[in-house]
Structures are given as C-alpha cells and as structure tokens.
Amino acid sequence: MNKSFLVQNSLMLAPLIGATGSLMTAVGITLTFIMVTSVFALCMNALRPRLLPATHLLANVLLAATLTSCAELGAQLWSLQWHQDLGIYAGLVALQCVVLDCTGFFQRTWPARLRLYGLFGALMVGLGLLRELIGRGTFGSHLSWLTNASPAHWEGWILTTDGGLRLTTLAPGGFILLGLLIALWQIWHRPTP
C-alpha cells in the first residue's frame, strides 16, 4: 500500500459518507464520477503529449472543473431535485480527477481503472441502499428523480411504517455504519489460528 493509493481512497471517503443518504443520490454520484473521470482520462491522454510539464496541473484543474460543471448542469437539467440532493459532493469529482491524474492513475491499464470504478460504485450503491433501508425504511424512495418520471409523490417501496432510524441518513450515521461494516469485514476475514 503506497502513499498515492491512500490519497486516492481517502478523497473518496467524503462522497461515500456524504452522498449516500439515499440510493438515488449514491447512484447519481457514482454515475457522475464514472462519466467525468472517463472523459477526463480520454482528454488528458490526448493533451498530455502536447503540454509542457509545468502546465499539466493547470490543465488538469481546468479540464476537471469544466467537465464536472458540465456534468452538474446536465444533472440539473435532467432532475433538479436529484441535483440539489447531490449538493457539493458532485463538485468533489473534479478534485478526484486531478489527484488521480497526479498519482498516475490514468496511465494504468483499463482493468485497473475498471476495478476502482467497480469498487467505488459498489461501495456507494451498497452504502446508499443500506442507509436508505435502515434510515427511511424504504427502497427506491426517489426513483422518480433518476427516471425523470412525472409522479412527484412516489414514495418507493415502504418497508416499515415508522420510517426507520433517522440517524443513519445523516453523516454521523454514515460513519457509524461504515465503521460497523469494516468491523464485520475484518471479523469475517480474520485468519483462523
């Protein structure tokens, strides 16, 4: 485990905790991350040979901010509620693009990139699903945001009538749930003596 691996993964912690209060928000930030970083990688791979080494960081910042802003405008056009629920976390994708490029992530092979995309997506969607199930007692409560369906009163599939444990939809509850999941993972993969 090297230093760049820790930097890449620690930057993904903020959207993992902040943007997984519901399943649709987690799916939204995952789609934004995959789409923006893929286009960023293609553009930077085309631009990198034409840039001076001193201008790489400036080009990274400008391109990442532009692509993230375009993705946010597209999300706002598609569904305003979905965009508002994403909040500031969609803007963090630009910072992730810059850090991933500075650590050499986009020079890796496609399977290595797809592994990170899959891991990030699975963590986001899994934690979003758990937080929505435990916190709201529903499944797919904001599905109309993603599908842009007309009924705004769609409540999803209600699993509990009392609404669940509200703490898990907040950021502290996300940290607690993530800590419990990590502890379960370590217990499950503990080597037997």
Side-chain angles (χ1 to χ4, degrees):
M1 195 178 318
N2 57 13
K3 193 174 186 179
S4 67
F5 180 77
L6 291 174
V7 170
Q8 291 171 9
N9 293 339
S10 64
L11 278 176
M12 293 180 185
L13 185 62
L16 183 65
I17 298 300
T20 56
S22 71
L23 178 62
M24 290 305 114
T25 308
V27 168
I29 198 74
T30 302
L31 291 175
T32 304
F33 174 76
I34 291 172
M35 189 173 53
V36 169
T37 54
S38 299
V39 173
F40 178 84
L42 290 173
C43 292
M44 276 311 292
N45 286 337
L47 286 175
R48 193 172 288 112
R50 294 174 176 83
L51 293 173
L52 296 171
T55 61
H56 279 206
L57 184 61
L58 180 61
N60 282 341
V61 171
L62 287 174
L63 183 62
T66 301
L67 292 174
T68 304
S69 296
C70 290
E72 283 194 75
L73 286 173
Q76 187 176 9
L77 181 65
W78 181 261
S79 174
L80 183 60
Q81 298 91 356
W82 188 37
H83 177 262
Q84 288 174 341
D85 204 38
L86 285 176
I88 62 168
Y89 299 106
L92 289 176
V93 174
L95 178 63
Q96 289 174 340
C97 286
V98 171
V99 170
L100 288 173
D101 191 57
C102 289
T103 57
F105 174 74
F106 296 118
Q107 284 79 34
R108 294 183 189 166
T109 61
W110 274 102
R113 285 191 237 170
L114 289 176
R115 190 172 26 253
L116 178 75
Y117 292 158
L119 179 65
F120 181 69
L123 283 172
M124 290 292 290
V125 171
L127 197 60
L129 178 65
L130 277 175
R131 288 176 71 182
E132 184 173 341
L133 285 173
I134 297 170
R136 291 191 178 101
T138 61
F139 175 71
S141 63
H142 301 297
L143 190 61
S144 63
W145 294 355
L146 188 60
T147 60
N148 206 9
S150 59
H153 60 278
W154 168 258
E155 294 296 324
W157 295 281
I158 298 174
L159 303 174
T160 62
T161 56
D162 62 352
L165 183 62
R166 172 95 169 108
L167 175 66
T168 56
T169 61
L170 303 173
F175 274 114
I176 292 168
L177 186 60
L178 185 62
L180 289 173
L181 289 174
I182 291 171
L184 272 166
W185 176 266
Q186 288 179 345
I187 289 170
W188 184 267
H189 291 298
R190 180 182 298 165
T192 56

